[in-house]
Amino acid sequence: QVQLVESGGGSVQAGGSLRLSCAASYSRHCMGWFRQAPGKERSGVATINSYGITTYAFSVKGRFTISKDNTRNTLYLEMNSLKPEDTAMYYCAAYSHQCTLVPAHFTYWGKGTQVTVSS
């Protein structure tokens, strides 16, 4: 069982930045960030595997950076140049053999942190 607790969400104006954190009970496997806007399906934002190899959704590539600190069992998502369409609940997820951007491939989930970007 892996426990995940997200933090760092908030409200920001377009063009601003936020840094999300996910405290995990164990982080040396595939982990990822996903988001879900009202009325939309949950979608992948970024993943990082046990070797540190990252994958990004096209919509965030170049603006978001995923990283993790295994000594602190913490996953991060640095979000820059935020847009109103980035507004969503952001979820941390862990443990996926495939380590893709597909939510169904992940076993453990946090409860989420809200990110709101105003224009």
Side-chain angles (χ1 to χ4, degrees):
Q1 188 79 13
V2 177
Q3 296 180 337
L4 305 168
V5 180
E6 303 95 335
S7 62
S11 296
V12 64
Q13 289 193 326
S17 299
L18 283 173
R19 188 194 198 200
L20 305 183
S21 299
C22 173
S25 54
Y26 184 76
S27 67
R28 294 182 186 272
H29 42 209
C30 173
M31 298 187 73
W33 288 99
F34 295 78
R35 65 186 181 187
Q36 187 168 16
K40 294 188 176 181
E41 292 186 354
R42 191 171 299 189
S43 63
V45 176
T47 63
I48 183 167
N49 70 9
S50 58
Y51 299 102
I53 297 173
T54 58
T55 303
Y56 293 93
F58 180 79
S59 60
V60 306
K61 195 172 291 187
R63 299 188 298 123
F64 291 10
T65 303
I66 188 172
S67 63
K68 61 177 174 173
D69 184 342
N70 288 330
T71 63
R72 299 188 179 193
N73 286 333
T74 303
L75 178 73
Y76 301 100
L77 184 68
E78 187 75 36
M79 304 186 295
N80 298 313
S81 302
L82 282 161
K83 304 176 182 179
E85 50 264 44
D86 294 319
T87 295
M89 184 71 78
Y90 282 71
Y91 297 91
C92 172
Y95 199 73
S96 165
H97 289 296
Q98 300 91 337
C99 209
T100 67
L101 294 170
V102 178
H105 291 171
F106 282 78
T107 303
Y108 302 106
W109 292 85
K111 293 184 178 181
T113 185
Q114 178 68 38
V115 172
T116 303
V117 185
S118 58
S119 57

